[in-house]
Amino acid sequence: MKAAVITAPGKVEVTTVADPTPRPREVVVEVAACGICGTDLHILQGEFAPSLPSCRDTSSPVRWPRSALT
């Protein structure tokens, strides 16, 4: 799957990352759209940094596979 990864202050790369494997009692969902939050912008601008590269996840609308709902 594709992910936008902050690799350094001011630098974002779209890269391919491994598909997640759910553990028991977890599901994998298809993200229909996503956005960024203010914290992402501060990290991108180098104002504070978690360990980089950083691939943050936030709440996003998702598309549930029909098979997951039954």
Side-chain angles (χ1 to χ4, degrees), residues 4-69:
V5 180
I6 300 172
T7 57
K11 187 172 182 182
V12 177
E13 295 179 11
V14 176
T15 186
T16 300
V17 298
D19 287 338
T21 302
R23 294 178 291 194
R25 302 183 57 85
E26 293 182 338
V27 297
V28 175
V29 295
E30 179 182 350
V31 176
C34 67
I36 61 173
C37 69
T39 301
D40 297 319
L41 294 176
H42 290 292
I43 293 170
L44 180 60
Q45 294 166 351
E47 295 174 7
F48 63 91
S51 57
L52 295 176
S54 176
C55 182
R56 294 176 32 85
D57 59 355
T58 58
S59 298
S60 301
V62 297
R63 185 178 306 130
W64 289 90
R66 185 167 302 282
S67 62
L69 301 175

